[in-house]
Amino acid sequence: SQQGEEDPQALSIQEGENATMNCSYKTSINNLQWYRQNSGRGLVHLILIRSNEREKHSGRLRVTLDTSKKSSSLLITASRAADTASYFCATDEAGANSKLTFGKGITLSVRP
Amino acid sequence: NAGVTQTPKFRVLKTGQSMTLLCAQDMNHEYMYWYRQDPGMGLRLIHYSVGEGTTAKGEVPDGYNVSRLKKQNFLLGLESAAPSQTSVYFCASSRRGNIQYFGAGTRLSVL
């Protein structure tokens, strides 16, 4: 069963705008990760946030985690056409032996 | 450093045929995983391994078998392919509790 549920399912923005994607999950987690998938390619890890962290930055990426609400958000600032891809959140559930449970993904389109 | 390599990249099978997908990683990772990705379904875990000689079932294991005879290789077998197994298959590897590194995928069509 899918643990992470991303929102929205699809997002279309203009280059230079910020993109915010949300993920909700159901059970206790060790960490939450975000991955990107370009069309026809494998997934690439973007950022990992542990359950005891509330915010993390990596370049133009900002991730927040609210364990009380069981939710996370991924913010991409100053988006570029090259950011066009599908984005997945994945949860490392407590006691799940390092298995990740992926959401269905968000399709981001950045218009030049 | 090749990372995670999957072979083949594409394959077309007839119903009832068998095949093996090979995954190889050169990062000395303990954990390896096989996923399938279908439109609108995200990634679903088929089988995984926490070390050489070990395998375990994931979310959708039926119709698949796996083997991890060597630490660097993880094989996924389809004994009797069915049209429902048409999908894109991804292999990944990781250290315990850490990020996963993915291969480029195998696109399988079962006619």
Side-chain angles (χ1 to χ4, degrees), chain B residues 3-95:
Chain B
V4 178
T5 303
Q6 291 183 233
T7 52
K9 289 184 169 49
F10 303 94
R11 187 72 186 268
V12 178
L13 289 179
K14 294 181 180 178
T15 296
Q17 288 185 318
S18 63
M19 77 165 295
T20 300
L21 282 67
L22 172 64
C23 178
Q25 53 97 2
D26 61 3
M27 296 172 283
N28 201 34
H29 286 165
E30 288 293 331
Y31 289 66
M32 296 188 74
Y33 313 84
W34 274 108
Y35 297 92
R36 61 178 289 172
Q37 184 177 34
D38 302 293
M41 296 295 292
L43 269 76
R44 293 182 291 171
L45 183 65
I46 304 171
H47 286 280
Y48 66 103
S49 168
V50 301
E52 182 178 324
T54 74
T55 63
K57 294 180 180 179
E59 181 186 353
V60 288
D62 293 343
Y64 305 94
N65 57 75
V66 287
S67 64
R68 184 102 181 265
L69 298 180
K70 293 182 178 180
K71 186 177 184 178
Q72 64 267 33
N73 295 336
F74 195 28
L75 278 63
L76 178 71
L78 285 74
E79 290 185 347
S80 179
S84 60
Q85 294 178 304
T86 293
S87 188
V88 181
Y89 291 85
F90 288 100
C91 176
S93 71
S94 74
R95 291 191 173 86

Side-chain angles (χ1 to χ4, degrees), chain A residues 90-107:
Chain A
T91 50
D92 180 358
E93 299 173 35
N97 200 17
S98 292
K99 292 181 294 180
L100 292 181
T101 304
F102 286 82
K104 295 180 181 180
I106 297 170
T107 301

